[in-house]
Amino acid sequence: MSTAEETAGGEMQPWAEVTPDAARRLLVAAVEAFAERGYHATTTRDIAGRAGMSPAALYIHFKTKEELLHRISRIGHAKALDILRTAARGEGDATERLADAVSSFVRWHAGGRTTARVVQYELDSLGPDARAEIIGLRRQVDAEVRGIIQDGVAAGDFDVPDVPGTTLAVLSLCIDVARWFNVNGPRTPDEVGALYADLVLRMVGAGK
């Protein structure tokens, strides 16, 4: 399945934020190449070839290979943050919001696994400035999940002695789905999302 066809809970992920069409094609090609070969082993020629363009055409839209990775990572992290922020600010108690956050986050990592692998595992390939920006987004992601867990602890719904550590464990569990999920496997993204939501609620002691 190509990056352009990947789904998260049935939602298409066409990279509509990226214009014009040639730039979008290059970005999609870069995602596929980075996921398959790794950032450092991928050349601009590889990316241009996948997009059906000449290497010179790439530089019209992106100055460097790193700029492509930065754009992919920024868009991906913004989407992940939006998913968690929507769940954190939703209706319901902390148990319901945490379940929604985890299931939605997992569905995104499973349905968009190729993109998610690049977004989550190529951070160290970015230069200092770009890396600092992405780390800032990651801290916001962490804060959204941590906030839900703190709400549950304050309400007496969760039994969590170490909120920061538990937040890291929850995020790590969700993110790792991008590494192993197989579209031909026994579970759909929705089913994995529901499973992980149940596991996380058990982790925080919900309902005890």
Side-chain angles (χ1 to χ4, degrees):
M1 180 182 291
S2 72
T3 306
E5 294 169 333
E6 286 182 343
T7 61
E11 180 182 356
M12 294 301 291
Q13 190 179 57
W15 297 95
E17 306 94 332
V18 182
T19 57
D21 179 68
R24 186 182 306 113
R25 284 164 50 201
L26 287 164
L27 186 140
V28 168
V31 169
E32 293 172 349
F34 294 158
E36 180 182 318
R37 306 187 62 183
Y39 174 80
H40 292 294
T42 298
T43 66
T44 54
R45 185 176 294 277
D46 294 332
I47 296 167
R50 286 173 182 260
M53 301 166 69
S54 70
L58 185 149
Y59 296 107
I60 296 174
H61 303 284
F62 301 97
K63 294 178 182 178
T64 63
K65 184 176 69 168
E66 185 192 338
E67 184 180 333
L68 261 169
L69 178 61
H70 184 202
R71 187 82 180 274
I72 292 163
S73 190
R74 186 172 62 234
I75 292 173
H77 278 88
K79 177 62 176 176
L81 178 58
D82 181 63
I83 288 169
L84 292 174
R85 187 169 281 162
T86 297
R89 287 155 175 68
E91 297 181 358
D93 59 19
T95 298
E96 294 168 319
R97 288 185 286 123
L98 184 59
D100 186 26
V102 170
S103 61
S104 299
F105 202 45
V106 166
R107 285 199 306 272
W108 184 75
H109 282 84
R113 61 204 167 279
T114 303
T115 298
R117 282 200 301 271
V118 176
V119 168
Q120 299 292 4
Y121 295 116
E122 289 287 2
L123 176 64
D124 289 340
S125 298
L126 292 170
D129 292 343
R131 190 173 186 275
E133 180 187 0
I134 301 306
I135 288 174
L137 289 171
R138 289 193 176 197
R139 285 174 177 155
Q140 293 180 63
V141 164
D142 181 278
E144 294 298 336
V145 175
R146 187 171 67 250
I148 301 173
I149 295 174
Q150 287 172 334
D151 287 347
V153 171
D157 296 332
F158 298 162
D159 180 13
V160 180
D162 183 348
V163 171
T166 301
T167 299
L168 177 60
V170 169
L171 288 171
S172 298
L173 189 69
C174 295
I175 288 168
D176 194 56
V177 170
R179 182 186 57 79
W180 63 259
F181 184 80
N182 186 335
V183 69
N184 297 315
R187 291 189 173 93
T188 66
D190 283 344
E191 289 170 339
V192 178
L195 171 64
Y196 274 47
D198 179 67
L199 291 172
V200 168
L201 292 182
R202 292 171 186 270
M203 182 189 299
V204 300
K208 288 186 178 180

